[in-house]
Amino acid sequence: MAVIASAPGKVLITGGYLILERPNAGIVLSTNARFYAIVKPLYDELKPECWLWSWTDVKLTSPQLNRESMYKMSLKHFLLQSTSSETRNPFVEYAVQYAVAAAYATLGNDKKDALQKLLLQGFDITILGGNDFYSYRNEIESRGLPLTPESLASLPPFTSITFNSTHSNGESNSKPEVAKTGLGSSAAMTTAVVAALLSYLGVVNLSSDSGAHQENLDVIHIIAQMAHCMAQGKVGSGFDVSSAVYGSHRYVRFSPQLISSSQDALRFMPLEEVVGGVLKGKWDHERTKFSLPPLMNLLLGEPGSGGSSTPSMVGAVKNWQKSDPQNSLNTWRQLSEANATLEAQLNLLNKLAEQHSETYKSVIYTCSMYQSDKWIEQTSEAINLEIVKTLIGARDAMLNIRFHMREMGKAAGIPIEPESQTQLLDATMNMAGVLFAGVPGAGGFDAVFAVTLGDSGQNLSKAWSSHNVLALLVKEDPRGVSIENVDPRVNQITSGVSSVRIA
Ligand SMILES: Nc1ncnc2c1ncn2[C@@H]1O[C@H](COP(=O)(O)OP(=O)(O)O)[C@@H](O)[C@H]1O
Ligand SMILES: C[C@@](O)(CCOP(=O)(O)OP(=O)(O)O)CC(=O)O
């Protein structure tokens, strides 16, 4: 039977770069953009002699990239060897190796025969990323459609992905392989594959409401982090995998040694022992519940196509920290304070919404119709004023964050908030009902985000369109990894059909 798992994409609204170092925190919102992994047996029947085999087969299909790859997997070392000439997918390859090793490390002897049988049947893995992960700007333009979310919605689900072209003048050097929006497709993909395989192999059970749900998520988190780090060739902060597993939260990274020491151990220890050890490690990542206050919406706008490559930006910031420790420390301190202020204001707004729900609602709806410099004059009562002041406090904190991010970019010689994004963000923040806007994560040319009040997002989306910025269909969705009952291709097609019928 097929097992289908899905994991969400993310937007890091505070903590870019700082989150790489404990104990700095970052706020990461998960989204309704989801990556799916479908795992089923490659062979239904097992030949009697197969129990002697030391290899099994793995087939990986990525319909959106028009890729199909075959692998042989050693049942001794769990190493995958490509037997087809197709390009590799290290994220999925490590996800398979580490998930199988985790099964060996954790399942009791009584379950080993069943595990062996599932392995011998081979894996048929299909991966599908929701359209929101990728940039379809070029398709929309070439089809002569307007640059609107409606045009995006008219694309079929799981549309083919555009590759960024490479120019001889090196212009696209900073661009990633596929034209992406920056929602963390590799982390969501790795997490979905790990979750589907661990469920398929009986290591975790995500469909039960049992008390073990948290522990199951923790196992998926550790295996997905290990696989993602191996595939990326570095131990990043891991906020993208963390949000793909747990959904929206306030994240403090795990100690990098938890993974880096295991990578050293791989030279002299079998993979399942290494994985077993890491699973028992003292995982110290923090994830505190966080959600946007009520009646606030997350909106993403894609100003150009293609996105930025994060690793080179991180390298530049690290070099700057080494070459100018004093000034870089100073900037980080100020950024950290601004991040903490924004977080505190949003938490306070959540509290005010809970304590004064009606007043909160009416203040948000009023402010949603005005530019921020008019908010204060709309009110006189104490509670209303406190809410408006907190909104303005959140806004000012974001302006501060943006200022220091720009400083950091200038000092490190990289476009964290490049001039074109500054103009867009300033214009966005001056629109009626916009609480704040910024460049997510590492910044650069990925889609920008805005947090809007009430229904003002619709006007913002129209204004963006008229300035050649494509508002994406992405919304905040706090759900982390989950098991799906229906194939997303069937699901999305039927929901598309029913919405047409209803209309
Ligand atoms: N549908 C897919 N099928 C196969 N590989 C994919 C798919 N989507 C993304 N990838 C891989 O993930 C990489 C992008 O990951 P990442 O840099 O994390 O992007 P993001 O900005 O979305 O975080 C791509 O270069 C590609 O290797
Ligand atoms: C710089 C960072 O702190 C944040 C990068 O955030 P993005 O959201 O830009 O990430 P990508 O999906 O890799 O593009 C690096 C890190 O935390 O690992």
Side-chain angles (χ1 to χ4, degrees):
M1 229 205 35
V3 171
I4 308 170
S6 71
K10 52 68 198 170
V11 181
L12 186 72
I13 66 167
T14 68
Y17 301 95
L18 273 70
I19 202 175
L20 287 159
E21 289 180 14
R22 280 173 66 82
N24 294 326
I27 289 174
V28 57
L29 300 179
S30 55
T31 67
N32 60 340
R34 294 188 84 82
F35 215 105
Y36 298 83
I38 306 167
V39 176
K40 55 184 185 190
L42 196 53
Y43 312 115
D44 287 332
E45 297 295 319
L46 284 184
K47 297 205 176 93
E49 72 275 15
C50 74
W51 294 94
L52 301 171
W53 293 348
S54 53
W55 294 86
T56 189
D57 295 316
V58 177
K59 180 176 164 195
L60 173 63
T61 313
S62 171
Q64 290 157 295
L65 289 178
N66 213 1
R67 280 185 192 163
E68 202 177 279
S69 317
M70 283 302 301
Y71 298 91
K72 287 269 175 214
M73 183 175 72
S74 150
L75 294 176
K76 201 157 167 226
H77 311 291
F78 318 120
L79 285 177
L80 287 177
Q81 276 188 14
S82 171
T83 54
S84 59
S85 56
E86 285 294 333
T87 14
R88 313 288 299 257
N89 187 327
F91 296 100
V92 177
E93 290 168 27
Y94 281 111
V96 173
Q97 288 178 34
Y98 281 71
V100 173
Y104 268 94
T106 54
L107 292 176
N109 282 338
D110 54 327
K111 304 227 169 84
K112 289 270 158 72
D113 271 357
L115 173 62
Q116 185 75 358
K117 184 173 175 231
L118 284 176
L119 292 174
L120 289 170
Q121 284 183 292
F123 299 131
D124 180 350
I125 304 173
T126 304
I127 49 172
L128 295 159
N131 287 352
D132 301 311
F133 284 102
Y134 311 104
S135 172
Y136 293 105
R137 212 185 155 88
N138 293 343
E139 281 79 347
I140 289 182
E141 280 167 358
S142 65
R143 287 185 194 196
L145 295 170
L147 212 54
T148 58
E150 289 74 24
S151 299
L152 270 178
S154 72
L155 296 173
F158 310 114
T159 298
S160 294
I161 303 164
T162 315
F163 283 87
N164 275 322
S165 55
T166 34
H167 298 289
S168 50
N169 62 10
E171 184 211 311
S172 63
N173 273 356
S174 62
K175 285 195 177 181
E177 180 196 11
V178 297
K180 61 189 181 95
T181 49
L183 291 175
S185 48
S186 66
M189 172 168 67
T190 308
T191 304
V193 173
V194 166
L197 274 171
L198 290 180
S199 306
Y200 180 76
L201 298 174
V203 177
V204 298
N205 181 359
L206 284 184
S207 32
S208 79
D209 285 339
S210 74
H213 193 68
Q214 264 316 311
E215 285 103 84
N216 283 334
L217 290 182
D218 292 343
V219 172
I220 294 170
H221 176 248
I222 294 171
I223 302 302
Q225 288 285 13
M226 288 184 89
H228 197 247
C229 287
M230 286 300 285
Q232 282 200 314
K234 67 174 174 86
V235 185
S237 73
F239 78 91
D240 43 3
V241 171
S242 186
S243 56
V245 176
Y246 303 110
S248 299
H249 62 289
R250 174 191 190 269
Y251 178 75
V252 177
R253 71 158 308 148
F254 57 83
S255 297
Q257 301 86 305
L258 280 163
I259 286 189
S260 55
S261 60
S262 78
Q263 290 174 336
D264 296 336
L266 280 175
R267 279 185 275 128
F268 50 86
M269 265 163 78
L271 184 59
E272 77 264 33
E273 274 180 44
V274 174
V275 169
V278 178
L279 281 170
K280 288 197 196 108
K282 278 212 167 329
W283 277 77
D284 51 0
H285 61 293
E286 284 171 32
R287 50 197 164 80
T288 323
K289 199 172 145 35
F290 181 87
S291 58
L292 281 180
L295 305 175
M296 290 189 190
N297 297 301
L298 175 73
L299 219 73
L300 289 181
E302 201 197 72
S305 55
S308 301
S309 173
T310 307
S312 56
M313 311 251 289
V314 171
V317 168
K318 285 191 170 159
N319 284 342
W320 162 63
Q321 285 179 297
K322 259 185 236 138
S323 68
D324 192 354
Q326 184 113 39
N327 282 324
S328 58
L329 198 68
N330 203 18
T331 301
W332 272 42
R333 207 171 288 137
Q334 298 185 68
L335 255 174
S336 162
E337 271 168 31
N339 287 339
T341 307
L342 178 59
E343 196 188 310
Q345 302 297 309
L346 292 174
N347 284 336
L348 182 55
L349 284 161
N350 263 319
K351 212 153 116 201
L352 289 165
E354 209 178 289
Q355 289 167 346
H356 311 279
S357 124
E358 286 310 311
T359 316
Y360 176 87
K361 248 189 241 165
S362 88
V363 171
I364 297 291
Y365 275 119
T366 307
C367 292
S368 75
M369 291 181 285
Y370 296 92
Q371 279 177 268
S372 62
D373 56 351
K374 305 270 177 330
W375 289 351
I376 209 101
E377 58 199 58
Q378 309 302 320
T379 186
S380 51
E381 314 226 344
I383 300 296
N384 303 42
L385 212 56
E386 193 185 346
I387 297 171
V388 171
K389 282 186 176 159
T390 317
L391 291 172
I392 290 171
R395 209 181 141 81
D396 288 344
M398 181 52 85
L399 285 170
N400 242 327
I401 293 173
R402 286 185 48 206
F403 174 77
H404 294 299
M405 291 286 258
R406 281 197 299 273
E407 293 291 293
M408 180 155 69
K410 273 184 224 147
I414 44 158
I416 295 183
E417 194 193 283
E419 180 53 32
S420 58
Q421 300 280 51
T422 300
Q423 283 177 15
L424 169 62
L425 293 173
D426 287 345
T428 301
M429 284 189 69
N430 281 331
M431 296 250 337
V434 176
L435 182 61
F436 54 71
V439 286
F445 297 94
D446 283 351
V448 298
F449 72 87
V451 171
T452 59
L453 304 178
D455 299 326
S456 61
Q458 285 168 9
N459 287 336
L460 176 59
S461 157
K462 280 190 202 128
W464 275 351
S465 288
S466 64
H467 287 90
N468 210 24
V469 175
L470 175 59
L472 303 180
L473 299 167
V474 175
K475 292 189 283 207
E476 195 218 348
D477 181 344
R479 270 184 324 139
V481 68
S482 68
I483 291 294
E484 305 285 331
N485 296 322
V486 185
D487 186 314
R489 290 165 291 189
V490 175
N491 210 7
Q492 303 233 358
I493 290 161
T494 40
S495 62
V497 169
S498 56
S499 64
V500 169
R501 280 203 196 117
I502 291 161

